Amino acid sequence: MLKEHAPALLPEPPAGRSVGGAVFAVLFGLLAVMSCFKYLALHSTVFDLGVFLSNLHSLHVAGQWWRAFLGHAQPLLPVYAQVYRLAPDQAAPLALLVSQAFVLALPAFFAGRRHGTLAALAYALFFPVWTNALFDFHLDHLLVPILYGFLAAATTGRIGWAVVLGLAPSLVKEPYALTTICCGAYLWLCQERRGPGLFLAAFGALYFYVATSLVVPFCTVDPGLGVQSGAFSWLGGSPGAALTTLVTQPGKALAVMFGVPAKWKYLFFLFGSLIFFPLLRPKLLLPALPTIALSLLSTNPGYYGWANHYTAGAAGVLFFAFCQVLGPVRVLARQSGAGAGRVVFAVMGWLVIAHVMLAPSPASRLDRKSTRLNSSH
């Protein structure tokens, strides 16, 4: 049985730690090249990348500040709008996609240094990394390294960094203010840091209310967004109405959350691709609860589709929890006589199979191509 005090980290030789840098470089290169080639081949600005480019261009050229709160509160958009100052207009889409690939690859570097070679390779194989990089462009991708960093800081006593990183999800998009609330709850309840935890929870709650009730409606002509959208309209027309529905109609809420087989598949893929290891560290999963809950509460299949970008708010948390289990698993393997080498081989085998089945990577594409060729014969 895995104990809470079991070591999460094992001694790793310098050469092993340096593998994280190599994995980061290869992963960054693959994600950047594939996403850019996809854009060049499909001219995918007809989708969300085009929406972002339009908003960023209007922010930069026309100073239309309200674009940062059009449909969603995304106060980081003015920062990204500087892409038009730093690069030619035609290169702006490529610059955004490359920056997204860089950010998504970062946890491989830090996981390699903190947890070793196996963790770095596991991150590179985790399918949400690939789906978020190749499913157009969204600011949600920032959540993956942010939440990994939050848990890394919180579990090592770096509370200042934990507070900064716990605030950051709110600035990505207003639904992730709920993630900030849960980051505060984690600091308070799991790390016994009452002051910082209450601060994060209060900030997240206030930000969520102001953004959803005042700022976004003021800047948005279309009322069919957020909780009023088709995906969540059954909850009511406001966050308050949604909370009332959840409290007064729990049976209906549970039916919506767990009565759709595709939502079980979403959960199975998300946790199963990491061998269900994150479930052995339930406290660490607290910051991921809002993302998972919103996906399950939605009636729009896109929200609980495993190939979309809505996994970003959970991916970094689940991966960190996975890493925290790797050390104890190796120790148990050695103590039981099974051998750490065999266990590492089995873990890598599972991760590779999950990657081939779920990730839109070159490896999975080659496998599907060979399958089609074999079936044609």
Side-chain angles (χ1 to χ4, degrees):
M1 191 172 175
L2 296 180
K3 304 292 186 182
E4 286 293 335
H5 62 266
L9 308 175
L10 289 179
E12 189 76 18
R17 288 198 299 266
S18 67
V19 171
V23 174
F24 158 76
V26 173
L27 181 61
F28 167 52
L30 286 172
L31 296 179
V33 169
M34 289 184 69
S35 59
C36 289
F37 278 5
K38 177 187 173 184
Y39 160 73
L40 293 172
L42 300 178
H43 300 286
S44 56
T45 51
V46 297
F47 300 114
D48 286 351
L49 176 58
V51 174
F52 275 98
L53 288 171
S54 175
N55 288 333
L56 295 177
H57 190 268
S58 297
L59 275 164
H60 174 66
V61 174
Q64 296 177 354
W65 61 269
W66 50 269
R67 293 273 185 169
F69 305 97
L70 177 62
H72 287 293
Q74 302 179 94
L76 294 179
L77 282 185
V79 177
Y80 277 83
Q82 302 310 306
V83 68
Y84 283 103
R85 187 187 304 275
L86 302 173
D89 287 4
Q90 296 301 317
L94 301 177
L96 290 179
L97 293 172
V98 169
S99 71
Q100 179 174 254
F102 178 84
V103 170
L104 281 169
L106 274 177
F109 174 77
F110 294 109
R113 291 183 62 85
R114 179 181 172 86
H115 299 283
T117 301
L118 180 58
L121 293 173
Y123 180 79
L125 293 171
F126 193 24
F127 78 89
V129 177
W130 294 84
T131 54
N132 277 275
L134 300 177
F135 191 74
D136 233 21
F137 176 85
H138 305 87
L139 291 187
D140 303 49
H141 73 274
L142 295 170
L143 294 167
V144 180
I146 285 173
L147 292 176
Y148 176 89
F150 165 77
L151 289 173
T155 54
T156 54
R158 300 174 182 177
I159 302 304
W161 276 111
V163 170
V164 171
L165 293 169
L167 289 171
S170 296
L171 306 181
V172 174
K173 201 158 60 177
E174 84 285 348
Y176 299 119
L178 301 175
T179 302
T180 293
I181 295 174
C182 286
C183 287
Y186 176 80
L187 286 181
W188 181 14
L189 300 176
C190 303
Q191 296 295 327
E192 298 181 352
R193 301 284 186 161
R194 186 170 181 269
L198 284 176
F199 169 73
L200 282 180
F203 177 88
L206 180 62
Y207 186 92
F208 183 77
Y209 171 77
V210 172
T212 57
S213 299
L214 302 175
V215 179
V216 172
F218 176 78
C219 297
T220 306
V221 176
D222 182 5
L225 294 166
V227 76
Q228 299 180 17
S229 68
F232 300 100
S233 58
W234 69 273
L235 287 168
S238 67
L243 181 61
T244 300
T245 300
L246 293 174
V247 172
T248 59
Q249 302 180 51
K252 182 179 181 181
L254 290 173
V256 171
M257 293 176 73
F258 301 108
V260 180
K263 293 183 179 180
W264 287 101
K265 183 166 70 172
Y266 160 80
L267 293 174
F268 179 80
F269 286 168
L270 202 56
F271 287 90
S273 60
L274 293 175
I275 327 178
F276 301 101
F277 279 6
L279 295 175
L280 299 174
R281 290 291 183 265
K283 293 179 182 179
L284 291 173
L285 302 183
L286 193 53
L289 289 184
T291 293
I292 295 174
L294 288 173
S295 295
L296 297 179
L297 287 168
S298 172
T299 57
N300 182 346
Y303 279 84
Y304 51 88
W306 55 268
N308 295 333
H309 65 285
Y310 294 110
T311 56
V317 175
L318 267 60
F319 177 70
F320 184 86
F322 167 83
C323 291
Q324 293 295 98
V325 177
L326 282 180
V329 165
R330 287 177 178 174
V331 172
L332 286 176
R334 289 172 181 172
Q335 293 176 347
S336 66
R342 292 180 180 178
V343 171
V344 168
F345 181 80
V347 168
M348 279 300 299
W350 183 297
L351 295 173
V352 168
I353 291 172
H355 175 83
V356 170
M357 292 177 61
L358 301 173
S361 72
S364 62
R365 295 182 184 212
L366 286 173
D367 176 74
R368 290 166 194 159
K369 182 178 180 180
S370 64
T371 301
R372 288 195 298 269
L373 289 174
N374 292 331
S375 63
S376 66
H377 293 295

